[in-house]
Amino acid sequence: MEPLTFDNPWILAVKRARRHAGAPITIAIAALSLFLALIVAPAVHRMLAGQYPPGSLFAALSQILLYGGIFLPLYVSPFAVRTWEEWGSKAPVLGRWQRALLGLAIGAFAFLITVLAAAVAGVVQQAGPGGFGAGIVFAAFLTAFQAFGEEFFFRGWLQPIFAYQWGLRTGLLVTAAIFALSHWVVGPLSALAT
């Protein structure tokens, strides 16, 4: 990870963009995206979930729709704004395969630590028809989808714009505050999640 300085490739990408939406428009788009993700998607899920018996195919599809509804806005809005602004691509230090292998190794290690912590806390339970292994694979996919979506939304989109427009400290504080607020809105977190 690269330090948050004005030489950071993400901030340079914002600086070199052909168009600039500006921080107020970015905040409005982010607020709408978070409203869809954190308020609308769970409300739709609650409405659908009560109609189907637990463990049924439709209940599972309803859960998939929930995760899609939560995380798709976190992918779509930054991608759309970055494309519209025509951000320049950052020059990678490592090659494509080196970055992929490094990312997979770090992600696998973090995931194993998370599963270990969940097992120690008694959260890990026997999975349904697919068994424990299928549950681990599904959890790994879901964790990667969630983590990348959050990182892309907050650190890859909001933070560079705010840091470029308002300075490094203010940009970091505003991004951290929006990140914390979005997690607070979801509800109280368990000791394991914090």
Side-chain angles (χ1 to χ4, degrees):
M1 179 151 140
E2 298 164 25
L4 185 63
T5 65
F6 282 111
D7 294 331
N8 181 293
W10 292 107
I11 294 177
L12 291 175
V14 173
K15 182 178 181 181
R16 294 180 188 138
R18 294 188 195 272
R19 302 180 192 98
H20 293 277
I25 291 172
T26 301
I27 289 173
I29 293 169
L32 176 63
S33 299
L34 289 172
F35 174 75
L36 291 172
L38 302 176
I39 307 298
V40 174
V44 169
H45 175 259
R46 281 190 301 275
M47 186 176 64
L48 291 175
Q51 297 178 8
Y52 307 109
S56 71
L57 175 62
F58 290 111
L61 290 175
S62 148
Q63 192 70 24
I64 290 169
L65 287 174
L66 170 66
Y67 286 113
I70 289 173
F71 292 107
L72 281 179
L74 301 186
Y75 281 92
V76 171
S77 54
F79 180 77
V81 172
R82 289 169 53 132
T83 301
W84 178 80
E85 288 185 342
E86 297 181 26
W87 283 29
S89 61
K90 63 183 237 164
V93 176
L94 299 174
R96 176 181 296 190
W97 292 108
Q98 291 170 321
R99 290 190 319 262
L101 289 174
L102 180 61
L104 284 172
I106 292 170
F109 177 75
F111 179 72
L112 289 175
I113 294 297
T114 303
V115 169
L116 179 62
V120 169
V123 175
V124 175
Q125 299 173 6
Q126 180 64 31
F132 187 73
I136 293 292
V137 169
F138 178 72
F141 175 74
L142 187 60
T143 301
F145 185 66
Q146 173 185 349
F148 185 80
E150 287 183 5
E151 289 296 317
F152 185 51
F153 187 84
F154 292 103
R155 217 180 278 205
W157 176 49
L158 295 181
Q159 184 173 297
I161 289 175
F162 297 155
Y164 173 71
Q165 299 233 333
W166 295 332
L168 299 175
R169 286 190 179 139
T170 304
L172 186 60
L173 288 172
V174 170
T175 305
I178 293 171
F179 180 82
L181 182 63
S182 70
H183 284 77
W184 176 77
V185 166
V186 172
L189 298 174
S190 68
L192 183 62
T194 57

